[in-house]
Amino acid sequence: MVRYDALCIDAGFGYFDENKQYVPYEVDSSKKGVELYSQYEMAEKVVWDYFVNGIGEKDAFSFLDSDGFSSDAEPISEEYRLDVRKWVYQEFFGISNDDPDCVWQIPVTETDFDQMPVPSKALREKMNGEDKEEALSAYKTMFEVVVGLDPDSDSLFERAGNHFLRQTPVVEAKKQHTIATYASLYPSIIFSPLVFFALVPLLMKNGVTFGKKICRIALISTSGYQAKPWQIALHYGFIILIFYLFLIPSAMIMFMVASLILVLDYMAMILTRYHQSVHAMIAHTLSLDSANSVWFASREMEDAYIEKHPQSFAARLRKEKEEDARKDLVVKEAALREESGILDATTLSLNPHAAKDQSEDENNKS
């Protein structure tokens, strides 16, 4: 940033104040009358000095290919400087004998190109007479700063600023500043998620973060018991990964990947049986209301609780899991019987194709 500020000073777009802080030159349109007129004179001088002194006499900056400037003279020679001034008059300030509305003085001889453009005689008469507001309006069109509001603005002050921003040393300085700023975020991006989503949940009871603690939410295993440390680490590791996406230099890629992951995560929470997110399913964890839920550290403690509270969530969860396990076992046994050629009532009730075949055999016999 210091390098960029120094380039701005060198180009004449700002100055260092008494605190050695960079202050850019700006046109303050809130000023009135003579004060506003002096602001536009300042902007006019900044534009002239940037092109004539900043580019015409210094090696740091140069004309761009898109400018269309060319000179057969030796760089930095007196003839070269004259060519620069001619270009500024004709191409940048737009001074032309064919434009009666031009606010600038048209040079009488080539020696006049050594001087900064001055307001035309008609404009100066307006400033000294009754038409000050009309004269200020002409200056406002030439110098008002509307960067970021009107991309098609053609004010001289803005054009000179944009021209400066495209200079190679400025582009490099801004690039280095962007890299330095981005790199300065690395410690917070890397270590903050580790503290809040790894260290805190592993140290606090039931794997809660500060947010879960405030909302009275606990993290347990899908088995109905307290979550193990590896489950807590895996559960929050997914969240840490989301934060680490900010390390991707491309903001567009980072946003797209993060959005896709978050959308899938929330869809899973809506559609799954126990409203589990993707990272919760991977870690085999559940989030419960700690104020109205009970979970256990062991099977023995759970058995004792269910015996006393048969209508509790713990009892319902145990019943659902036992029912699912029984159905899986029956289906597996039926499949084994069918593969071995053994048919009985249990197999037929679970295999509609076998039941249909038996019914057809009985009809044929009858």
Side-chain angles (χ1 to χ4, degrees):
M1 197 64 198
V2 172
R3 171 65 177 154
Y4 173 74
D5 291 346
L7 289 168
C8 290
I9 298 292
D10 201 30
F13 284 101
Y15 62 94
F16 285 125
D17 61 13
E18 61 275 7
N19 298 320
K20 296 185 178 180
Q21 296 294 319
Y22 169 68
V23 180
Y25 287 120
E26 295 179 342
V27 176
D28 186 358
S29 298
S30 65
K31 295 183 181 295
K32 301 295 182 181
V34 177
E35 283 190 337
L36 182 58
Y37 178 71
S38 65
Q39 287 272 301
Y40 293 141
E41 284 187 323
M42 175 274 297
E44 175 191 351
K45 186 176 187 307
V46 168
V47 173
W48 175 261
D49 287 344
Y50 167 66
F51 282 102
V52 175
N53 299 326
I55 295 182
E57 299 184 3
K58 294 182 179 178
D59 295 330
F61 311 117
S62 61
F63 284 102
L64 306 172
D65 292 338
S66 58
D67 294 334
F69 171 78
S70 61
S71 175
D72 297 329
E74 188 72 20
I76 316 303
S77 65
E78 194 60 39
E79 186 180 353
Y80 182 84
R81 294 192 184 101
L82 184 60
D83 288 342
V84 171
R85 296 184 185 110
K86 285 182 179 179
W87 181 88
V88 174
Y89 265 105
Q90 297 168 358
E91 303 297 333
F92 203 83
F93 282 86
I95 294 179
S96 170
N97 291 313
D98 300 329
D99 185 5
D101 297 324
C102 186
V103 300
W104 309 109
Q105 177 84 28
I106 299 175
V108 178
T109 65
E110 288 198 355
T111 57
D112 290 332
F113 286 119
D114 290 337
Q115 302 175 8
M116 187 176 71
V118 295
S120 65
K121 182 179 178 181
L123 188 61
R124 283 179 302 190
E125 289 176 351
K126 290 179 180 179
M127 284 301 304
N128 296 326
E130 301 293 329
D131 301 323
K132 288 186 174 62
E133 291 302 321
E134 185 178 344
L136 285 172
S137 177
Y139 265 91
K140 183 177 180 180
T141 303
M142 302 302 286
F143 289 111
E144 186 172 29
V145 180
V146 289
V147 177
L149 299 178
D150 184 4
D152 297 325
S153 172
D154 201 33
S155 69
L156 293 182
F157 197 72
E158 181 187 8
R159 284 178 59 194
N162 290 334
H163 191 278
F164 168 74
L165 293 176
R166 297 197 303 273
Q167 294 291 324
T168 301
V170 179
V171 172
E172 291 299 322
K174 290 179 71 68
K175 185 185 298 182
Q176 292 173 10
H177 176 252
T178 301
I179 294 173
T181 303
Y182 179 72
S184 68
L185 300 175
Y186 270 42
S188 59
I189 294 176
I190 292 174
F191 294 110
S192 296
L194 289 176
V195 172
F196 289 102
F197 294 103
L199 185 62
V200 171
L202 289 172
L203 293 179
M204 295 183 72
K205 187 178 180 181
N206 299 319
V208 299
T209 58
F210 291 125
K212 279 185 168 62
K213 186 72 174 178
I214 294 172
C215 296
R216 305 176 77 178
I217 297 174
L219 192 69
I220 69 168
S221 171
T222 51
S223 64
Y225 307 121
Q226 289 180 348
K228 296 178 174 58
W230 70 266
Q231 289 180 298
I232 296 173
L234 189 58
H235 179 95
Y236 291 108
F238 186 90
I239 299 176
I240 294 173
L241 178 63
I242 298 293
F243 279 91
Y244 283 177
L245 290 176
F246 286 96
L247 297 174
I248 299 176
S250 173
M252 180 61 70
I253 296 176
M254 179 272 294
F255 178 78
M256 291 174 61
V257 175
S259 299
L260 177 62
I261 294 175
L262 291 175
V263 167
L264 292 176
D265 213 33
Y266 280 107
M267 285 181 62
M269 292 176 66
I270 295 172
L271 300 175
T272 53
R273 184 177 183 179
Y274 296 113
H275 304 295
Q276 291 173 281
S277 58
V278 173
H279 58 279
M281 289 188 288
I282 294 174
H284 301 289
T285 54
L286 288 171
S287 295
L288 295 180
D289 180 0
S290 61
N292 301 300
S293 303
V294 178
W295 57 96
F296 310 92
S298 65
R299 176 74 178 223
E300 292 74 19
M301 293 178 64
E302 181 186 22
D303 291 339
Y305 180 85
I306 290 175
E307 186 176 350
K308 293 182 180 180
H309 306 86
Q311 302 301 321
S312 64
F313 171 80
R316 179 162 58 87
L317 185 63
R318 166 74 72 82
K319 185 177 181 181
E320 289 177 355
K321 289 190 174 183
E322 289 179 347
E323 183 66 22
D324 290 342
R326 189 193 69 79
K327 288 180 179 179
D328 290 341
L329 181 60
V330 171
V331 170
K332 288 179 181 178
E333 289 178 348
L336 288 173
R337 289 191 183 97
E338 186 174 356
E339 289 177 1
S340 60
I342 301 174
L343 298 178
D344 57 19
T346 304
T347 305
L348 294 174
S349 65
L350 294 172
N351 191 332
H353 299 292
K356 182 179 179 181
D357 293 341
Q358 186 186 44
S359 177
E360 290 179 354
D361 291 342
E362 290 177 354
N363 290 334
N364 293 333
K365 289 180 181 178
S366 63

